[in-house]
């Protein structure tokens, strides 16, 4: 009897340990989507759940006599940079297209987040013929202030690209976002879907016809913040890949071919889209058995071989605790984006019983998924310091994030404006942020798996919409009970 009791105890403790080893992905999914409400610009709706935020940027666009209200603040500041915002919207849409059926009740929230982005991007694309608005707010002035979005008294300068000041990268990314979202709303709101697709085609045509990098046209207004370091060819390929998926029009296939082979990167981000385009196009080779896309499948697999830790061609560092480490500046943006590609390519492989080789190693879908799951679990707290890098998730998470609205008293509690310099007392304080930006994923730990949790250490402590957007897909995958 005693030995039986001991076995039951042992078994139940193993079970408990097993349950603890898997974070609550469904809770993380819900929180990762809620985060976007904290980043909203414009007039907030009645069902806004992040109640410590209030409406802001209500005169955005007025200096150019257009309505550019809405959209998202990309990170911890009060600027609307369309280049990363459009990428965020594309990744939220891709997550929803691939994993929407696994999201359950969160599908509605994912769609709302996408629509908050596309409503703004539509305004930017349609307000003035021949022009695409690509940002609101002077970043050089804004970054010298520490104030809530509700109090902004810095210039809300409007930036645009046109035939004489081209921006193929930001235009093609905007087209990608609108085309991807058009598929998300195809059944849910057909009229809106048609508007998104028609606008995507127009913006893409503008990107193709007037070629040039937006960094060259707008220089210090977008650099060094969101400079297009990889050029615009990757965005042209990415935008065309999304329009091809949305329309099946051979025009876009021919455009992709005319661009020739792209780089062979070992990174994927708001700036460098090649790897994302390869995975998206490889879908046609794998799922549609279209041999015209074989080269992109090969490029996607070359990318995977550069990421997998035991591959002979791996060029990716991992920390001692198992986190993919690409760059010191906001490393988790690369981790979540690459994890999305690993998960999604593994999904295509499983659907077609496909394997590939990295040197002499045969790669099966679970090899990708185990790396993907390790990254997801690390971010959610399975790491050497047992800290979740998602705010409000788990027992221990970042408390002093580099985020103006989160670090300052809520507008609901203190309605008098704080002004440009009014918030620096809070910025330099060691107190935790008064407002918890639930679901925000910060830049992440350093190369030694350490995290100082300091507000002024923005490369580690600043959250961003594009970190979260790419994480939604893998979370939905593992929340649906799939594992490596």
């Amino acid at each position: 009897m005693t030995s039986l009791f001991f076995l039951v105890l042992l078994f139940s403790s193993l079970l408990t340990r097993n349950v603890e080893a898997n974070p609550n992905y469904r809770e993380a999914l819900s929180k990762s989507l809620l985060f976007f409400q904290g980043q909203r610009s414009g007039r907030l709706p009645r069902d806004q759940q992040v109640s410590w935020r209030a409406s802001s940027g209500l005169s955005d666009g007025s200096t150019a006599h257009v309505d550019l209200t809405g959209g998202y603040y990309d990170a911890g500041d009060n600027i609307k940079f369309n280049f990363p915002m459009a990428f965020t919207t594309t990744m939220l849409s891709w997550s929803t297209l691939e994993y929407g059926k696994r999201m359950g009740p969160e599908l509605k929230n994912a769609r709302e987040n996408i629509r908050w982005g596309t409503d703004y991007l539509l305004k930017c694309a349609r307000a003035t013929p021949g022009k695409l608005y690509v940002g609101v707010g002077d970043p050089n002035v804004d970054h010298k202030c520490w104030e809530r979005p509700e109090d902004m008294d810095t210039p809300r300068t409007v930036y645009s690209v046109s035939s004489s000041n081209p921006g193929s990268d930001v235009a093609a990314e905007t087209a990608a976002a609108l085309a991807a979202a058009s598929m998300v709303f195809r059944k849910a709101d057909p009229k809106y879907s048609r508007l998104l697709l028609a606008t995507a085609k127009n913006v893409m045509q503008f990107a193709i016809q007037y070629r040039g990098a937006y960094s060259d046209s707008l220089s210090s207004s977008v650099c060094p913040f969101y400079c297009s370091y990889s050029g615009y060819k990757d965005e042209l390929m990415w935008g065309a890949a999304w329009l091809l998926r949305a329309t099946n029009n051979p025009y876009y296939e021919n455009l992709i071919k005319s661009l020739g082979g792209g780089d062979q990167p070992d990174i994927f981000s708001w700036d460098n889209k090649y790897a994302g385009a390869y995975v998206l196009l490889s879908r046609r080779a794998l799922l549609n058995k279209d041999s015209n896309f074989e080269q992109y499948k090969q490029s996607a697999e070359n990318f995977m071989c550069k990421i997998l830790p035991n591959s002979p061609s791996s060029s990716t560092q991992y920390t001692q605790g198992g986190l993919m480490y690409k760059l010191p500046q906001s490393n988790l943006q690369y981790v979540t984006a690459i994890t999305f590609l690993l998960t999604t390519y593994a999904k295509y492989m499983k659907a077609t019983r496909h394997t590939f080789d990295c040197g002499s190693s045969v790669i099966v879908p679970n090899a990708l998924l185990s790396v993907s799951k390790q990254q997801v679990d690390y971010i959610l707290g399975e790491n050497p310091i047992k800290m979740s890098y998602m705010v409000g998730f788990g027992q221990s998470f970042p408390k002093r994030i580099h985020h103006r609205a989160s670090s300052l008293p809520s507008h609901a509690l203190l309605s008098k404006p704080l002004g440009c310099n009014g918030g620096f007392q809070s910025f330099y304080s060691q107190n935790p942020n008064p407002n918890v930006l639930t679901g925000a994923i910060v830049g992440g730990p350093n190369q030694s798996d350490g995290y100082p949790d300091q507000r002024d250490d923005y490369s580690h402590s600043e959250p961003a919409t594009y970190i979260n957007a790419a994480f939604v897909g893998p979370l939905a995958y593992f929340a649906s009970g799939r594992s490596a």
Side-chain angles (χ1 to χ4, degrees):
M1 185 70 183
T2 316
S3 59
L4 179 64
F5 179 67
F6 176 74
L7 279 173
V8 169
L9 261 183
L10 179 68
F11 185 59
S12 59
S13 74
L14 283 171
L15 268 182
T16 311
R17 213 175 309 159
N18 221 11
V19 169
E20 284 172 358
N22 271 334
N24 186 333
Y25 302 118
R26 198 154 284 288
E27 180 196 341
L29 173 63
S30 177
K31 288 180 171 174
S32 73
L33 289 166
L34 179 63
F35 156 73
F36 288 91
Q37 290 196 14
Q39 298 301 111
R40 283 173 170 173
S41 182
R43 190 168 298 286
L44 300 185
R46 285 186 180 168
D47 62 358
Q48 169 84 5
Q49 288 171 268
V50 180
S51 55
W52 48 266
R53 280 294 322 283
S55 298
S56 61
L58 297 181
S59 61
D60 281 1
S62 58
T63 56
H65 311 292
V66 288
D67 171 15
L68 298 179
T69 55
Y72 292 109
Y73 304 115
D74 69 290
D77 50 27
N78 300 326
I79 308 295
K80 295 194 306 206
F81 290 104
N82 286 30
F83 194 32
M85 195 198 307
F87 176 71
T88 293
T89 309
T90 309
M91 290 309 294
L92 277 173
S93 298
W94 197 2
S95 298
T96 305
L97 290 169
E98 295 290 350
Y99 304 103
K101 288 177 181 164
R102 302 172 189 209
M103 287 182 181
E106 295 304 327
L107 176 58
K108 175 177 172 284
N109 296 324
R111 281 188 186 136
E112 279 177 10
N113 288 343
I114 293 163
R115 193 165 191 145
W116 196 271
T118 52
D119 279 354
Y120 168 77
L121 293 174
L122 283 171
K123 290 177 181 180
C124 292
R126 295 169 60 82
T128 308
K131 237 182 209 185
L132 174 67
Y133 294 98
V134 298
V136 182
D138 183 329
N140 295 291
V141 178
D142 179 89
H143 285 156
K144 290 174 186 162
C145 295
W146 196 261
E147 58 187 342
R148 302 173 299 195
E150 294 85 358
D151 296 339
M152 283 184 291
D153 51 7
T154 50
R156 299 302 283 169
T157 315
V158 171
Y159 302 98
S160 62
V161 292
S162 62
S163 56
S164 53
N165 286 295
S168 298
D169 29 33
V170 67
E173 182 57 75
T174 302
L178 297 172
S182 78
M183 288 182 277
V184 171
F185 292 103
R186 196 168 274 168
K187 286 181 182 166
D189 189 340
K191 188 179 174 188
Y192 189 63
S193 172
R194 287 192 294 274
L195 174 65
L196 290 168
L197 188 56
T199 310
K201 289 175 185 173
N202 289 341
V203 177
M204 190 66 199
Q205 211 43 51
F206 169 82
I208 296 161
Q209 196 170 343
Y210 305 107
R211 297 200 186 187
Y214 95 132
S215 309
D216 295 339
S217 294
L218 295 170
S219 61
S220 64
S221 308
V222 294
C223 292
F225 318 103
Y226 291 104
C227 247
S228 184
Y229 297 104
S230 67
Y232 59 80
K233 188 176 144 184
D234 56 320
E235 275 83 23
L236 288 178
M237 185 182 279
W238 173 245
W242 276 111
L243 274 153
L244 178 61
R245 184 163 170 186
T247 64
N248 277 322
N249 187 332
Y251 169 78
Y252 297 108
E253 185 178 341
N254 293 331
L255 171 62
I256 293 164
K257 280 183 191 157
S258 75
L259 293 168
D263 286 2
Q264 298 294 318
D266 63 356
I267 209 154
F268 176 48
S269 70
W270 56 263
D271 178 37
N272 194 321
K273 316 289 163 49
Y274 282 117
Y278 300 152
V279 170
L280 184 61
L281 292 168
S282 69
R283 185 177 181 274
R284 296 180 89 87
L286 285 167
L287 302 188
N288 303 356
K289 307 273 188 287
D290 188 336
S291 58
N292 291 324
F293 292 87
E294 196 62 33
Q295 74 176 92
Y296 305 106
K297 176 169 79 73
Q298 192 56 55
S299 293
E301 289 168 4
N302 290 345
F303 171 78
M304 302 298 159
C305 292
K306 290 181 180 182
I307 301 301
L308 294 173
N310 299 319
S311 156
S313 54
S314 180
S315 57
T316 303
Q317 280 184 293
Y318 287 80
T319 67
Q320 211 168 345
L323 181 70
M324 204 181 284
Y325 196 83
K326 283 293 179 186
L327 288 165
Q329 192 90 344
S330 187
N331 179 56
L332 288 188
Q333 66 175 304
Y334 309 110
V335 177
T336 61
I338 292 168
T339 297
F340 179 94
L341 296 185
L342 289 170
T343 312
T344 304
Y345 200 72
K347 179 173 168 259
Y348 299 161
M349 289 171 71
K350 276 188 179 237
T352 54
R353 300 192 174 177
H354 177 68
T355 61
F356 65 91
D357 298 336
C358 289
S360 58
S361 305
V362 177
I363 307 300
V364 297
N366 279 1
L368 303 186
L369 289 170
S370 72
V371 176
S372 172
K373 186 175 183 298
Q374 183 183 23
Q375 303 312 300
V376 171
D377 291 355
Y378 185 109
I379 290 170
L380 296 179
E382 298 288 319
N383 55 55
I385 62 171
K386 301 295 176 208
M387 174 177 266
S388 154
Y389 291 100
M390 177 183 282
V391 173
F393 183 88
Q395 296 301 304
S396 170
F397 53 82
K399 302 287 198 300
R400 298 172 193 83
I401 66 172
H402 183 95
H403 190 275
R404 287 158 176 76
S406 168
S407 70
L408 295 165
S410 164
H411 196 267
L413 295 175
L414 181 71
S415 55
K416 75 173 176 88
L418 291 169
C420 175
N421 297 316
F424 278 109
Q425 194 176 342
S426 295
F427 177 73
Y428 291 115
S429 153
Q430 286 301 304
N431 293 335
N433 287 10
N435 308 307
V436 178
L437 184 58
T438 301
I441 302 169
V442 294
N446 58 31
Q447 206 162 353
S448 311
D449 296 299
Y451 182 77
D453 198 14
Q454 294 295 326
R455 204 172 284 117
D456 59 354
D457 181 16
Y458 65 88
S459 67
H460 297 110
S461 66
E462 188 169 17
T465 53
Y466 41 87
I467 305 180
N468 272 62
F471 204 49
V472 167
L475 284 176
Y477 182 83
F478 292 116
S480 65
R482 305 299 201 280
S483 63

